[in-house]
Amino acid sequence: MGPDSCKNKIALITGSSRGIGAAIAKKFALSGADIVLNYRKAGGSSQAQAEKLRDEITTMGRRVLLIQADIASYESVKGLFREIQEKFSRLDYLILNAAKAPFKPIERLLERELRSLVEVNYLGNIFCIKESLPMLEQSGGKIVFISSLGSRFYNPAYPLGSMKSAMESVVRDCSETLSEKGISVNAVCGGIVKTDSFKVLRQYWEEIDLLPNDLFVEPDEIADVVLFLCGHASRGIRGQTIVVDRGLGNSLSHTRKK
Ligand SMILES: NC(=O)c1ccc[n+]([C@@H]2O[C@H](COP(=O)([O-])OP(=O)(O)OC[C@H]3O[C@@H](n4cnc5c(N)ncnc54)[C@H](OP(=O)(O)O)[C@@H]3O)[C@@H](O)[C@H]2O)c1
């Protein structure tokens, strides 16, 4: 896709203050889209990073809307989409990237941690899908969910994997139900990416340091496939999850210890 392939289009990337979401936002901006950045925590380093990214994308000549919203709250999500409607009056791409979960076995999660796991990583994405529909239906828009290998491989410290599996099913189901509105829905399942959340995962998964460096995925490699799924060349792909893991998933069974 060329530098103007997303000209006059609007992309919302949830959780785009840093990491993979920030890389996706930059990728769409470089392709000509105007961008809605979103983050959760006001007043901290996340907001500062989001503001820096806003300035960077503005310098590229794109319009940027920076919206603090917690996707786990339906009221907050409604406010997010209301603001997009008011300021941009359209939405072409909804990239469901925001995620947060504690790193410990699922049976050790406290009740509030379990509720938050489901509220952020399942309900939050569905709130966003529901509220995006009027604008996506008008634009014949695209939804891309960011999944991870936890959707298909066991990791004791990764309860988020169960939500990723559930969301991959939601992607398949919504692809069917929303196709009559002209909305396409797909997902990208990323391998391991060295973002802030990786630093925490590393503390609970010692073997990760044994992996050769070329098995780690760059945020930009995920962003490229997200952009592809929003373009004309992917029009035949519906309800699929495309794995971008540099082949890590092909050999994961070798890492199991007795
Ligand atoms: N890193 C990996 O190895 C990897 C691999 C495959 C897939 N993924 C997936 O890729 C996505 C991004 O991962 P990452 O590693 O880049 O994450 P990250 O560095 O932890 O950044 C997460 C982003 O999501 C935002 N966020 C968290 N909870 C939110 C909420 N309730 N509402 C709105 N925004 C929220 C954060 O904002 P605040 O800082 O303000 O909370 C931040 O902007 C996730 O879906 C993750 O599961 C990651």
Side-chain angles (χ1 to χ4, degrees), residues 103-104 148-150 153-158 190-193 197-211 215-216 248-249 251-257:
F103 289 91
K104 57 180 173 178
S148 70
L149 290 179
F153 296 109
Y154 162 75
N155 181 309
Y158 194 77
I192 304 174
V193 189
S197 62
F198 167 78
K199 290 176 202 153
V200 189
L201 178 65
R202 215 167 149 253
Q203 296 166 22
Y204 298 91
W205 189 9
E206 290 162 16
E207 293 88 350
I208 212 167
D209 285 330
L210 302 174
L211 289 176
L215 282 183
F216 289 97
L248 175 64
S251 56
L252 265 182
S253 59
H254 293 294
T255 62
R256 183 166 182 187
K257 277 189 178 170

Side-chain angles (χ1 to χ4, degrees), residues 17-258:
S17 59
R18 53 198 167 95
I20 296 167
I24 297 170
K26 274 192 242 177
K27 180 71 62 182
F28 275 82
L30 283 169
S31 299
D34 293 324
I35 305 294
V36 184
L37 296 174
N38 156 250
Y39 63 101
R40 177 188 56 94
K41 198 162 176 278
S45 70
S46 195
Q47 181 177 340
Q49 288 177 79
E51 286 169 355
K52 194 160 165 266
L53 182 59
R54 175 191 58 195
D55 296 346
E56 199 181 319
I57 294 176
T58 306
T59 315
M60 293 177 192
R62 307 274 84 87
R63 292 184 298 162
V64 186
L65 200 51
L66 174 57
I67 306 178
Q68 184 281 325
D70 180 350
I71 62 164
S73 151
Y74 202 1
E75 279 314 303
S76 189
V77 169
K78 283 180 180 163
L80 168 68
F81 284 90
R82 208 179 304 122
E83 194 168 340
I84 297 171
Q85 175 67 57
E86 280 166 17
K87 304 269 171 57
F88 283 158
S89 307
R90 73 177 282 150
L91 182 69
D92 298 273
Y93 313 123
L94 167 63
I95 314 302
L96 298 166
N97 168 81
K100 190 172 177 62
F103 289 91
K104 57 180 173 178
I106 203 156
E107 74 280 2
R108 296 225 318 257
L109 297 183
L110 305 172
E111 182 184 348
R112 68 173 158 73
E113 291 172 325
L114 278 167
R115 289 193 186 282
S116 160
L117 178 71
V118 178
E119 284 168 9
V120 177
N121 305 291
Y122 181 77
L123 292 179
N125 288 316
I126 294 171
F127 295 155
C128 289
I129 293 173
K130 279 170 72 71
E131 291 306 300
S132 71
L133 292 183
M135 284 191 280
L136 289 185
E137 190 172 358
Q138 262 196 335
S139 63
K142 320 269 184 189
I143 299 174
V144 180
F145 169 68
I146 308 301
S147 190
S148 70
L149 290 179
S151 67
R152 51 201 77 194
F153 296 109
Y154 162 75
N155 181 309
Y158 194 77
L160 180 54
S162 60
M163 296 297 102
K164 296 295 192 187
S165 309
M167 279 305 303
E168 288 184 15
S169 298
V170 169
V171 164
R172 179 202 59 219
D173 292 357
C174 283
S175 170
E176 287 301 304
T177 52
L178 300 183
S179 71
E180 65 185 22
K181 295 184 191 291
I183 299 170
S184 103
V185 190
N186 286 293
V188 175
C189 173
I192 304 174
V193 189
K194 289 184 176 173
T195 61
D196 291 348
S197 62
F198 167 78
K199 290 176 202 153
V200 189
L201 178 65
R202 215 167 149 253
Q203 296 166 22
Y204 298 91
W205 189 9
E206 290 162 16
E207 293 88 350
I208 212 167
D209 285 330
L210 302 174
L211 289 176
N213 215 26
D214 75 311
L215 282 183
F216 289 97
V217 179
E218 294 295 331
D220 201 48
E221 291 171 317
I222 295 185
D224 270 327
V225 182
V226 174
L227 186 66
F228 163 71
L229 286 173
C230 289
H232 184 68
S234 65
R235 64 197 175 281
I237 303 176
R238 297 273 177 90
Q240 297 300 309
T241 298
I242 300 188
V243 178
V244 180
D245 72 344
R246 294 200 178 193
L248 175 64
N250 298 331
S251 56
L252 265 182
S253 59
H254 293 294
T255 62
R256 183 166 182 187
K257 277 189 178 170
K258 285 276 175 210

